[in-house]
Structure formats: structure tokens, C-alpha cells
């Protein structure tokens, strides 16, 4: 097995944490294209050079550390949420650096490193890997704006003369991304590793139910067309109808609700809300969409509502490569016998985009309390090292 | 019967509509203490003088038209919602003016007129009549601010030297207020008049359910503490538990909902919402409150939520005076035989406050489509005149 150095790995991980340190626990604030993000990437480029790899910034600020010849690509992202944790993305980048460095020191096999830019979506969703994989054009991305009105074109110009061309993806044999789970499953079961079988697909629908705004004192219950009551009835009916369709891995969420006029003394005349659902099976996502639309139509009729739909987001599930996955499974069993599982990724990752270009796979380590996107995000350092060793063992096995 | 003049009444009603005319249908924008409101009150003071009554502005801008000696008081308010109708309040004021004028012309019985200030609650709830009736002190009201930061003290100073002292309520034998229904009952049944039996009481509670904010992709359904799901379950359970307690006149409303963080991809960690309920029976209001609190406690336990309560508003029901009410009923039967009903007022009115000072009663005329607090608010002019004649007949009968 490649002689990775856990102490050096943890030292680099803590060194990266100092860029944008929030001063609250181990939390960081290092959004894509911020001063802290660019400084962190400059530091990372130095560490890449010191490891014997060639640093390469692409046109959107994604930083590669290239091994010579054809190589396995490993990495994740080093930008963070505005109130983010120290491991979300950073873990996968620094683990990749340590594995690639150890491989250089051992004389192979060749491993390259990447830290994609703006995975956290200041300008969209997994923007850096999305442009690289051709899920969106550079011109299209340039027209995106962050919530403060900065354009993607202006943001990526901050990388100035660092930028070179896009890296040719055919130089890589595959992509392996380690990431914190960002959910409670491994922490709850006490398992140490999760080998991802698929990144779930997402459907995200915006719905409007329009009834009749009315005085909450003078309008009898039987004459009301109350949009909140219709929303609540839809929510209840949906759970009943999903019961025979979903698996324990399926999730659905009504996370956004806006009533109008949203006043205690007025019967709500309108409810806008989101319905989002995720599953590893594209057919199940479709069946759920049919149930949602049918249920909404019935509720709208029963409650005398007009029914409207906003734009719908749809991303299909992404299966992990069978060969990479079985190498990860064998390494997981060696490092944590009987204490790992195969599981879906409920969150999107850069691997979703990279799957368009090459075989991909992912490895999870536990998140304490399932907490992520929060300064409190953390993982036991022993678990981080178990993940590092699993990657090293996988690379050794893949040759 | 007093010889009221329907044409003169309608002419004055349309004249008042020109102050703050919105230019949208018959709608008006004449909030309390606005230039349009003060100009309308100056016009009304002139009409009061011309009718042989003595105009009197009190310290908060409520305008009385005083008959000599002990008199019956009639009126309502001439301020409007920011986007209001031409009849809400104005109808009761101008009908009172016409009845008082006709009584002056006929040599009695003496009738006084009032237009209370800020019934629509720019600074609170029925502010002008509330201060007069002692439901709040003038000093307390002076500290209130409108949404733009203007204080009540600054607002009422706009009436300048017009203002005299508060009118002694003992000079009045009772108070009769005509108002549009602001609901759909009379319009739906085709009835012409509603004699109010009670102004319903209100309870208004603000509730917070706090669960756990989480990632909508990585958090399995069975580990979620979703505040929207808890709210929806509470809403469903409440309707079932109210079924054996409420009457067809009882209403309840969840009109305000604020989820946190209110994003499609995040399991809502917190829901703040209002629960408001109204009924003519104070005991029933109490029973409903017990059911609400018990149901919330059960739902909070079942969904692992923390339960919090904000300040609660409570106004008890106000019964109408039996003598005044039977005089209105007799007059209603004479003017619209078989086409009137006894009904509660689901909305608050100035009469709620005045009831602390003297016997009160109210008469409703239909609202087309039940619409109010909207430029589109309207009533057939024939129905307005039926209301006027009913008041004239009532005053005659009361002597």
C-alpha cells in the first residue's frame, strides 16, 4: 500500500482551515472567488509543486495538480459555504494531495489532484466542474450573477494571469472523490465508511395554489378558498400516496412556503411552495412526479384553487463506476472490516458532472451528528485517517 | 317615520368618495391622518354645521356632530384602508348625517353623529374609539407608531387648533352603527339587512415550532424533525378536534406562516405561524384555546419539536343591547319583510369600544361578492337606501 503520511495529511488539512477561518469552532467562510478562497488556492498550488505535481488553474479557477502521463484524478473542492465547515470539499482535496504526493514519492502509480471552483454554487450549482464537463457553456456561466450582482465573468477574472486553458479530460483514467457524508447515517450506525452506489437524482418543482384572499372574521369556513388549507391537504395526501412507492432512501421536502398576503387576519389567497424529491432511480422519480401532479390537480379541484407551475429542475441519478466502486469496497473492508456500507449520496457533488467525462466513484466518512453547511461540521480525525488509508489502498490496488 | 332624503344621502356619500379617490373603480385611499382624511373631515364638519349640529373634533381627530341635550349617537368612521372601498365606515357616517339632519328638520328626536379616527388601525386597532372609550390611554396611544415610524402624537397634531376636549359620553343614550357586512352571507342568501346580535370575540396566538434544520438530500425521512410537517399535522388534527365544538359561525385561520430558512433544498428547522379564532361565545373561545394548546403539545412531542408561544391577543365578544336590537329588528322587518337576518359581526367595529360607554347596536347591508378592504368593494345603491330607511324607522320608534 502507498505509504501515505496521516500526520502530514492532517497538518495540511488544518493549514487549509486557516484560510477564511471563521473564529467559531473549526468553521470557515471561504466562498468561491473570495480573497480567502484565492489565497487558499495559491497556497495549495505551492503544496502541489512541492509534491512534484504541476499546478494548473483552468479558466474558471479550478486548480489541478497534474501528474505526468495518464493518471487517476482525485479531489473535490476547496471553496466553502458562507457559513461552512472545515471538511466539506477540503477533505477530498487534501486527501488527494497526500495520496498523489505519496505516489510521487513511491514512484507511482500516477495520481493527479483537483480542487474545483464554486462547488457550493455562489453562481449556480457545482459551477466549476459543470463548465469543465460541458454541462453548461463558459459563455452561459459568464452571464450568471451571485446574490450581490457580481457576474461569473467578473469573479473568474480575479484569477488574472494564473489562468491557463481547460485541462484535457482524456489524460485521466477515472475520478475518485472522498467527501464527508453530510448526513446522519454513518454517525447513527457507528460505521466508518460509505461506498457510494449512486448520486441520487433530483426533481424540484415550484407550485402556486391560488384561491381567494378574504377577511378572516367575516368569511364563513364553508365559503373559504384558503390556499394554506389546500397546501396542508396536499402535503397530507402526498405522504399517504407515496407510502407504497418510496424506499427508505427516498426523500421529499416542502422547504419553501410563501403565503399571500401572509397576515393573521386574512384568509390566505395564494400559496407558493417548493416540492423537491430525490431518489437513486430515475423511474421512481418519474412515478413520484406523476403522483405529485395528480394529487395537486385533485386538491386544486376539491379546494376551488387555480394551480400553476414554475420552472422545474431535473437532474438524473448518476451511477458510480463498477470497477472503481469494487476497488473502494475491497479497501473499505480491509480498513474497517464489517463497519462500512454501500449507500446513495443524497447530496450533489462535483462527481455528478465529472461522470460525463470519465468513470467516477465516491467514498464517504461520517459527519458527527450529520451536521454540515454549518460552522459546527466535524468528523473524528481517526475517521479522516481511515478514509485516507482507504484511498491509498484503492490506488495501490488499481495500480 | 323621519323624512330622510335618499338622493341627498347618496350625493353626500359620493361627495365623500372624492376625498382620496383612488382612480380605480369607486376605491379610495384615505388612511387616518392623511391629507385626504383631514380634508374629508373638514368637509364633513361643514356639512354637520349646515345640518344644524355642532361640529367637535376631539383630541385624536374623531369628529362629532352634536345635537343639543341628550341624544342618540350614530356613526362609524371616515378613514379608509390604504387600498380601501368607498363604503367601509363612510356609509355609517353619511347615513348618520342624513338621519340627524332629517331629525333636525323634523324637530326631533335629537340625533348626534360621529366619525371616529383611525378605525382601520394605522396606529393599532380602532384607535380613535378605543381612546375615547378608555380601552387605552391617550399617553399609551401617543407612543404608537405607524409602519413608517410616524408617532400617533405627531399624527394627531396635524389636526392643530381644530381639537377640543373629549366629548362626555353620558350625553348619549346609545350608539347605532350601520356598516357594510364585509362578508358574503347576505350577498349569498339574497337578504337585504343583518341585525347584529354580537361582535365576535377574537383570540390570536403566535406559535413557534422548532425542529432541526437539515440537508434535504442527505437526511432520511425517519431522522427528520421537519417544522413544516409538524405545522401541517397540527393543522389537520385541529380541524378534526374542532368539529364537535364549533358552530357554523365559528371561524379559525392560519394566515401567517414563516419557515426558516425557507429554501427548497433545506428541511425547515423552524415554523412560526399565527392561529386566530373568532366566535360570539367567550366560553367556546376558551374551549378552542384549550384544544389548540393540547394539540400543539401532542404534535410537538410526536415530531420532536420545541414549542414556543408569542404574545396572545384576546378580545371578548360584545353583545348588542337588547332594546336597540329589537328596534332594529322591527324596522328591518318593515323595510325588508322576510329578507333580513340576525347575525354575528365577524369583524371588529368602533361599536366594540363604544359598548364600554353606552348601549350599542349594529345594522349590516350586503357586500357584493363579500369583498371589502379592496378598491372593488361595493353595495347596490338600493340596498344602501334600505339601510338608511331602516335607521330612520328605528330612530322614530325609539323616539
Amino acid at each position: 500500500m502507498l505509504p501515505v503520511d496521516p500526520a502530514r495529511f492532517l497538518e495540511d488539512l488544518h493549514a487549509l482551515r486557516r484560510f477564511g477561518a471563521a473564529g467559531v469552532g473549526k468553521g470557515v467562510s471561504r466562498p468561491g472567488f473570495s480573497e480567502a478562497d484565492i489565497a487558499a488556492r495559491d497556497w495549495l498550488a505551492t503544496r502541489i509543486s512541492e509534491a512534484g505535481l504541476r499546478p494548473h488553474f483552468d479558466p474558471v479557477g479550478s486548480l489541478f495538480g497534474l501528474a505526468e502521463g495518464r493518471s487517476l484524478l482525485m479531489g473535490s473542492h476547496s471553496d466553502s459555504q458562507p457559513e461552512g465547515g472545515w471538511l466539506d470539499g477540503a477533505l477530498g482535496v487534501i486527501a488527494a494531495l497526500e495520496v498523489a504526493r505519496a505516489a510521487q514519492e513511491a514512484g507511482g502509480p500516477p495520481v493527479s489532484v483537483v480542487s474545483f471552483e464554486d462547488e457550493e454554487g455562489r453562481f449556480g450549482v457545482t459551477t466549476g466542474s459543470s463548465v469543465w464537463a460541458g454541462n453548461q457553456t463558459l459563455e452561459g456561466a459568464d452571464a450568471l450573477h451571485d446574490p450581490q450582482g457580481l457576474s461569473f465573468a467578473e469573479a473568474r477574472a480575479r484569477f488574472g494571469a494564473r489562468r491557463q486553458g481547460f485541462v484535457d479530460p482524456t489524460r485521466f483514467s477515472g475520478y475518485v472523490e472522498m467527501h464527508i457524508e453530510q448526513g446522519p447515517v454513518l454517525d447513527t450506525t457507528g460505521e466508518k465508511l460509505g461506498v457510494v452506489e449512486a448520486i441520487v437524482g433530483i426533481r424540484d418543482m415550484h407550485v402556486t395554489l391560488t384561491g381567494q384572499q378574504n377577511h378572516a372574521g367575516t368569511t364563513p369556513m364553508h365559503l373559504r378558498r384558503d390556499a394554506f388549507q389546500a397546501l396542508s391537504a396536499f402535503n397530507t395526501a402526498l405522504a399517504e400516496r407515496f407510502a407504497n412507492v418510496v424506499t427508505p432512501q427516498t426523500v421529499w421536502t416542502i422547504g419553501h412556503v410563501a403565503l399571500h398576503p401572509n397576515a393573521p387576519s386574512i384568509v390566505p389567497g395564494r400559496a407558493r411552495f417548493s416540492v423537491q424529491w430525490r431518489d437513486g432511480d430515475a423511474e421512481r422519480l418519474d412515478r413520484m412526479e406523476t403522483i405529485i401532479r395528480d394529487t395537486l390537480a385533485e386538491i386544486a379541484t376539491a379546494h376551488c384553487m387555480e394551480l400553476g407551475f414554475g420552472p422545474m429542475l431535473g437532474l438524473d441519478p448518476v451511477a458510480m463506476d463498477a470497477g472503481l466502486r469494487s476497488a473502494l469496497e475491497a479497501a473499505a473492508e480491509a480498513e474497517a472490516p464489517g463497519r462500512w456500507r454501500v449507500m446513495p449520496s443524497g447530496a450533489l457533488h462535483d462527481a455528478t458532472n465529472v461522470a460525463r467525462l470519465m468513470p467516477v466513484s465516491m467514498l464517504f466518512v461520517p459527519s458527527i451528528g450529520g451536521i454540515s453547511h454549518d460552522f459546527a461540521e466535524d468528523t473524528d480525525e481517526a475517521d479522516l485517517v481511515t478514509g485516507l488509508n482507504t484511498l491509498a489502498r484503492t490506488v495501490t490496488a488499481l495500480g
Side-chain angles (χ1 to χ4, degrees), chain A:
Chain A
M1 178 176 129
L2 278 180
V4 287
D5 182 340
R8 186 170 59 174
F9 156 69
L10 291 172
E11 195 176 312
D12 277 348
L13 200 50
H14 283 286
L16 176 53
R17 179 163 72 79
R18 289 195 288 270
F19 295 92
V24 180
K26 297 178 182 169
V28 297
S29 178
R30 197 168 60 226
F33 309 101
S34 65
E35 280 185 37
D37 173 56
I38 293 171
R41 286 169 191 271
D42 283 339
W43 168 83
L44 187 60
T46 304
R47 297 299 279 156
I48 283 169
S49 290
E50 292 165 356
L53 304 166
R54 178 162 59 83
H56 177 111
F57 284 93
D58 83 0
V60 304
S62 294
L63 170 61
F64 290 76
L66 298 173
E68 287 203 14
R70 188 166 168 83
S71 60
L72 183 68
L73 181 64
M74 302 179 79
S76 188
H77 61 95
S78 56
D79 64 298
S80 84
Q81 285 280 326
E83 297 190 7
W86 72 302
L87 297 172
D88 178 359
L91 170 64
V93 172
I94 299 298
L97 173 67
E98 177 56 30
V99 172
R101 185 162 49 196
Q104 287 288 319
E105 291 165 353
V111 176
S112 294
V113 180
V114 64
S115 167
F116 290 109
E117 180 56 293
D118 196 30
E119 193 271 349
E120 297 293 1
R122 178 172 177 174
F123 291 94
V125 179
T126 60
T127 324
S129 57
S130 173
V131 171
W132 186 47
N135 274 331
Q136 61 183 323
T137 63
L138 185 57
E139 294 68 31
D142 275 348
L144 298 173
H145 289 76
D146 77 356
Q148 283 68 48
L150 182 75
S151 75
F152 187 72
E154 292 164 336
R156 68 188 183 88
R158 293 178 179 175
F159 281 99
R162 294 173 187 83
R163 291 175 297 169
Q164 300 172 260
F166 284 109
V167 173
D168 178 3
T170 63
R171 66 182 294 152
F172 304 119
S173 57
Y175 175 69
V176 179
E177 179 169 358
M178 178 157 79
H179 207 281
I180 53 169
E181 181 199 333
Q182 301 183 282
V185 173
L186 297 175
D187 190 52
T188 304
T189 62
E191 290 163 320
K192 298 297 176 192
L193 297 164
V195 177
V196 174
E197 55 186 334
I199 299 172
V200 301
I202 300 183
R203 302 276 188 280
D204 192 306
M205 184 184 271
H206 290 256
V207 183
T208 305
L209 288 169
T210 306
Q212 176 65 53
Q213 175 180 333
N214 260 317
H215 191 296
T218 59
T219 314
M221 299 306 279
H222 73 282
L223 293 177
R224 293 185 176 197
R225 294 168 56 206
D226 182 325
F228 174 73
Q229 292 301 323
L231 164 58
S232 178
F234 163 70
N235 177 63
T236 303
L238 192 65
E240 291 164 4
R241 293 176 187 195
F242 274 174
N244 293 322
V245 175
V246 299
T247 75
Q249 282 73 46
T250 313
V251 293
W252 70 97
T253 307
I254 294 178
H256 174 81
V257 171
L259 302 185
H260 181 83
N262 208 28
S265 292
I266 303 181
V267 177
R270 191 176 68 220
R272 287 189 216 268
F273 57 97
S274 60
V275 189
Q276 185 184 95
W277 61 110
R278 305 188 190 211
D279 195 86
D281 178 345
E283 276 185 38
R284 184 173 295 109
L285 290 173
D286 289 344
R287 287 172 65 194
M288 293 174 75
E289 180 177 343
T290 301
I291 292 170
I292 290 167
R293 290 186 184 274
D294 289 351
T295 306
L296 279 168
E298 287 171 38
I299 292 287
T301 301
H303 289 253
C304 298
M305 297 277 143
E306 287 172 44
L307 175 60
F309 292 96
M312 181 166 145
L313 168 76
L315 292 170
D316 277 334
V318 174
M320 299 295 100
D321 177 71
L324 292 175
R325 179 180 147 187
S326 61
L328 281 172
E329 289 175 9
E333 178 60 22
E335 292 293 329
R339 299 188 69 187
W340 60 279
R341 68 164 52 203
V342 173
M343 63 187 294
S345 169
L348 283 182
H349 293 287
D350 289 311
T352 311
N353 296 312
V354 180
R356 283 183 59 138
L357 303 173
M358 63 192 78
V360 304
S361 61
M362 291 195 72
L363 179 68
F364 282 165
V365 295
S367 292
I368 296 173
I371 297 168
S372 185
H373 289 188
D374 191 300
F375 290 148
E377 168 196 294
D378 208 357
T379 298
D380 192 300
E381 291 197 355
D383 292 342
L384 300 177
V385 171
T386 300
L388 174 71
N389 288 334
T390 304
L391 289 187
R393 194 175 286 274
T394 301
V395 168
T396 307
L398 290 171

